Amino acid sequence: MLQLTLLGSPSATLDGTPLTDKLLNKDLALLYYLAATGQPQSRVSLAALLWGDYSESAARTNLRKSLSNLRHYLGDHVIIERDDVALVQMHCTVDLWEFERLANSETASSDPAQMRAAVALYRGDFLTGFSVHNAGDYDRWACALQERLRDLVVHMLTTLAAVYAASGELVQAIAFHRRGLELEPWREGSHRELMLLLAKSGRRSEALA
């Protein structure tokens, strides 16, 4: 089984064996992109995404090398065809897939247990600490996805804080507000709510601080 962790510092293992010390940086970038998009990608778009500053022929050559590396280490976990490349989803587990399934379902906003399960998967921002040299389009894609996912988890944390505050479970509400503020410390509304909850729970000095 290919196991990919994309929320927080990324990791990739195959049947328990780490791949991050076997694959090159752009091989990993390609792997993470295929996992995050969750659908087949054309060779043309992949070459442009990761080697857009190269000539077309050089970009295609570099892509072929990366695909050869993926085929070597991933075997039948990846499908590499003449025009398209994709991961075999039944052979993969990806934390991002489960996070988005939980967070984007129709019942997410009304089911605290489901929201808690989703935020528990969010170990940190998408691809924390991972960067790709000379691939501006890839960096822009990663940053946009990182912001979207962070907004989503902060929204769930704020909702959970409100749910627990309404039921009088102030310790839980405070914890969810604090986690949201760790991700987006500039949210004034969350700071105000946290101060009120701390004061209500008798932690006046913390509220004033």
Side-chain angles (χ1 to χ4, degrees), residues 159-178:
T159 302
L160 284 167
V163 168
Y164 281 100
S167 64
E169 298 178 72
L170 302 187
V171 172
Q172 287 275 27
I174 288 168
F176 284 122
H177 268 310
R178 281 187 159 155

Side-chain angles (χ1 to χ4, degrees), residues 62-125:
N62 281 292
L63 176 61
R64 281 196 299 271
K65 291 177 181 177
S66 274
L67 292 177
S68 177
N69 287 341
L70 291 187
R71 182 185 285 112
H72 176 74
Y73 287 109
L74 302 184
D76 59 4
H77 293 75
V78 62
I79 299 173
I80 301 173
E81 298 181 336
R82 179 175 180 178
D83 296 320
D84 299 318
V85 184
L87 292 180
V88 181
Q89 294 198 14
M90 69 177 63
H91 293 168
C92 304
T93 62
V94 181
D95 62 342
L96 178 58
W97 295 351
E98 180 66 5
F99 171 80
E100 293 202 299
R101 184 188 70 79
L102 290 168
N104 294 322
S105 73
E106 293 181 0
T107 59
S109 60
S110 59
D111 187 344
Q114 192 168 321
M115 283 189 284
R116 287 199 309 271
V119 300
L121 288 169
Y122 197 92
R123 300 181 309 111
D125 285 336

Side-chain angles (χ1 to χ4, degrees), residues 144-205:
L145 181 54
Q146 184 182 86
E147 289 178 10
R148 181 178 70 78
L149 295 171
R150 188 192 302 130
D151 286 345
L152 184 56
V153 76
V154 168
H155 173 73
M156 286 189 291
L157 288 166
T158 302
T159 302
L160 284 167
V163 168
Y164 281 100
S167 64
E169 298 178 72
L170 302 187
V171 172
Q172 287 275 27
I174 288 168
F176 284 122
H177 268 310
R178 281 187 159 155
R179 186 167 177 209
L181 287 168
E182 287 175 1
L183 295 168
E184 291 188 348
W186 53 85
R187 294 175 68 92
E188 292 185 9
S190 293
H191 279 292
R192 287 195 296 271
E193 289 298 322
L194 178 59
M195 290 163 63
L196 289 170
L197 291 172
L198 287 168
K200 273 187 182 181
S201 61
R203 297 155 68 175
R204 182 176 172 80
S205 60

